[in-house]
């Protein structure tokens, strides 16, 4: 039997059972799951294998590409600058990045970048994935573009360029590339084993992502839509995450590497009203900005019904019925990984795995674990 390691507090034994069920069935290959409540790791599990052939065990320090969970960390970077009084989410982006005002974008505000409502959700054609690896040059191109819809009127998921847009603000304000800012001001102070992009020293412990059986084909989309322009600006496949070029890049939208424990350590201060083991990390008023709803409707790019706050999605039972209502912020990574920040319960849930499912957001596995966690706390009415 595939080994599952780690600890759970007695109340959460059903969560261990749920993970073991998924490993036993073969649905999971390698997995890590963490739950933090008020600074206590009530669930800290890892197990399975790093490879599809199931020959290399998933260790405690195994890390993998977490796809769009990276955006939750990039959003936190922006909130830290807000907290320091250096960034105003209601100010025009052009206050900090003058070139962004070009072609009708002078009224686009920082909050629009953070809520995927800016109208700039990718690169104009021609666009190759390699173009995104030159972060400054790609950001310059984005600044010069026309918006693809009226900014602020709807969300259009910023699939691969979220880190370029938010990261450019970080760079303009601090002089640091996003990856360096995250390392110096988030991961290192919180003791989290997380980085955007990888160094050579980390490669040996990385679990490759295992792509879903059917990769997404954007050519099937209506070519006149924001969805088509986004998914072809540029096109990419899941296998790109296993390449050296992807791993070396500074992609604050999608190439963060870590495990569930690392993500929980980074996001838990939000759930705990800004408190961390090392002192106050964020002011409560800054955290409150997350819940300023920016859009509520069908996303123009991914087609999901979403409620976006500032930097994070907010509960919407029409899309994910297994996340309860309340002061909860969340987002997930392509293939099923999830990060859920529950302020009502001072709880952070983080799930990271290597075998991707076909889902855009969440998965049956993520639903099973999340439901087991909430049921252990006495929260019912989840499917």
């Amino acid at each position: 039997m595939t080994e599952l390691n780690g600890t759970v507090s007695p109340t959460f034994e059903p969560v261990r059972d749920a993970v073991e069920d998924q490993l036993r069935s073969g649905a999971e290959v390698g997995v890590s799951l963490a739950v933090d409540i008020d600074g206590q790791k009530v669930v800290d599990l890892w197990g399975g294998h790093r490879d599809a052939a199931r020959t290399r065990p998933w260790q405690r320090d195994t890390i993998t590409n977490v796809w769009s969970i990276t955006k939750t960390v990039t959003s936190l970077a922006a909130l830290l600058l807000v907290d320091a009084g250096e960034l105003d989410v209601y100010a025009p982006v052009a206050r900090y990045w003058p070139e962004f005002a070009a072609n009708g974008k002078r009224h686009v505000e920082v909050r629009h970048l953070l809520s995927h409502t800016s109208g700039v959700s990718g690169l104009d054609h021609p666009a190759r994935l390699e173009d995104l690896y030159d972060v400054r040059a790609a950001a310059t191109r984005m600044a010069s573009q026309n918006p693809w819809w009226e900014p602020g009127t709807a969300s259009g998921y910023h699939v691969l360029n979220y880190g370029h847009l938010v990261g450019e603000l970080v760079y303009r304000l601090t002089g640091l590339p996003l990856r360096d800012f995250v390392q110096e001001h988030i991961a290192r102070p919180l003791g989290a084993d997380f980085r955007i992009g990888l160094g050579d020293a980390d490669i040996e412990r990385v679990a490759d992502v295992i792509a879903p059986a059917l990769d997404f084909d954007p050519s099937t989309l209506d070519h006149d839509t924001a969805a088509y322009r986004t998914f072809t600006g540029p096109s990419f496949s899941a296998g790109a995450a296993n390449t050296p070029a992807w791993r070396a890049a500074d992609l604050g939208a999608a190439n963060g590497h870590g495990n569930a424990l690392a993500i929980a350590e980074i996001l838990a201060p939000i759930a705990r009203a800004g408190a961390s083991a090392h002192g106050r990390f964020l002011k409560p008023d800054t955290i409150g900005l997350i819940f300023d709803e920016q859009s509520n409707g069908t996303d123009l790019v991914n087609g999901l019904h979403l409620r976006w706050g500032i930097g994070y999605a907010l509960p919407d039972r029409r899309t994910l019925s297994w996340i309860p209502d309340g002061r909860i912020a969340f987002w997930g990574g392509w293939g099923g990984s999830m990060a859920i920040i529950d302020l009502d319960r001072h709880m952070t849930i983080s799930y990271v795995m290597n075998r991707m499912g076909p889902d855009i957001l969440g998965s049956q596995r993520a639903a099973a674990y999340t439901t087991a966690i909430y049921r252990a706390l006495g929260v019912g009415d989840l499917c």
Side-chain angles (χ1 to χ4, degrees):
M1 178 180 171
T2 300
E3 185 176 3
L4 181 63
N5 305 286
T7 60
V8 297
S9 66
T11 300
F12 292 91
E13 283 292 344
V15 178
R16 181 196 291 274
D17 294 341
V19 178
E20 286 182 335
D21 286 346
Q22 297 295 332
L23 281 168
R24 189 181 301 113
S25 72
E28 293 284 15
V29 175
V31 59
S32 58
L33 179 68
V35 180
D36 178 291
I37 299 180
D38 268 330
Q40 300 298 314
K41 300 300 184 296
V42 297
V43 175
D44 182 10
L45 296 172
W46 71 93
H49 294 89
R50 291 168 48 193
D51 60 324
R54 293 179 167 87
T55 62
R56 293 180 292 158
W58 183 294
Q59 307 284 1
R60 182 174 182 81
D61 69 343
T62 296
I63 57 176
T64 194
N65 191 89
V66 300
W67 293 108
S68 287
I69 284 182
T70 312
K71 293 180 176 74
T72 69
V73 182
T74 295
S75 297
L76 179 57
L79 289 179
L80 286 180
L81 294 175
V82 171
D83 210 62
E86 298 178 30
L87 182 66
D88 180 354
V89 297
Y90 302 108
V93 174
R95 175 186 295 180
Y96 313 101
W97 182 4
E99 297 88 343
F100 193 83
N103 287 314
K105 301 193 301 302
R106 65 185 183 279
H107 298 305
V108 176
E109 298 178 11
V110 172
R111 64 191 174 98
H112 297 138
L113 301 188
L114 289 164
S115 62
H116 303 265
T117 62
S118 75
V120 183
S121 55
L123 283 172
D124 277 335
H125 290 177
R128 306 170 306 148
L129 183 58
E130 291 78 10
D131 294 336
L132 295 182
Y133 298 157
D134 187 340
V135 175
R136 299 274 83 75
T140 297
R141 284 179 59 181
M142 294 168 199
S144 69
Q145 293 179 189
N146 294 306
W148 293 345
W149 67 92
E150 184 180 347
T153 60
S155 71
Y157 188 48
H158 295 14
V159 179
L160 288 184
N161 72 328
Y162 188 80
H164 293 76
L165 298 174
V166 179
E168 187 66 21
L169 294 178
V170 171
Y171 180 74
R172 297 277 174 138
L173 288 167
T174 69
L176 292 174
L178 178 63
R179 65 188 302 164
D180 293 346
F181 183 89
V182 166
Q183 186 63 27
E184 293 182 22
H185 296 279
I186 297 176
R188 189 176 299 147
L190 294 174
D193 187 9
F194 178 88
R195 63 270 295 125
I196 294 177
L198 290 175
D200 292 342
D202 295 311
I203 297 298
E204 288 301 314
R205 62 193 183 98
V206 173
D208 285 354
V209 302
I210 302 170
L214 294 176
D215 231 338
F216 174 64
D217 181 7
S219 68
T220 61
L221 299 171
D222 183 339
H223 289 202
D224 293 328
T225 62
Y228 176 79
R229 297 179 77 173
T230 301
F231 284 116
T232 60
S235 299
F236 65 102
S237 66
N242 297 329
T243 64
W246 175 281
R247 288 176 171 171
D250 184 359
L251 304 178
N255 85 331
H257 284 74
N259 51 38
L261 182 61
I263 299 300
E265 287 171 333
I266 286 173
L267 299 179
I270 299 175
R272 304 202 303 263
S276 78
H278 308 284
R280 182 156 298 281
F281 198 67
L282 286 172
K283 300 182 185 73
D285 285 351
T286 303
I287 294 171
L289 293 173
I290 292 171
F291 299 95
D292 184 353
E293 186 177 284
Q294 300 297 303
S295 67
N296 186 340
T298 301
D299 188 274
L300 299 177
V301 171
N302 62 31
L304 299 174
H305 195 285
L306 296 171
R307 294 174 59 225
W308 279 108
I310 293 181
Y312 301 84
L314 307 178
D316 188 329
R317 302 295 293 276
R318 287 163 291 192
T319 298
L320 295 181
S321 61
W322 38 270
I323 295 180
D325 296 327
R327 283 176 60 80
I328 293 174
F330 75 94
W331 195 240
W334 185 21
S337 56
M338 288 296 297
I340 301 169
I341 310 163
D342 188 328
L343 279 72
D344 291 333
R345 298 168 183 85
H346 299 182
M347 177 173 68
T348 304
I349 302 169
S350 176
Y351 161 55
V352 169
M353 77 295 152
N354 57 352
R355 185 182 185 185
M356 298 171 61
D359 309 88
I360 297 173
L361 179 64
S363 67
Q364 290 183 344
R365 286 169 278 161
Y369 305 151
T370 302
T371 299
I373 290 163
Y374 276 105
R375 284 179 177 163
L377 294 172
V379 179
D381 192 29
L382 299 175
C383 65

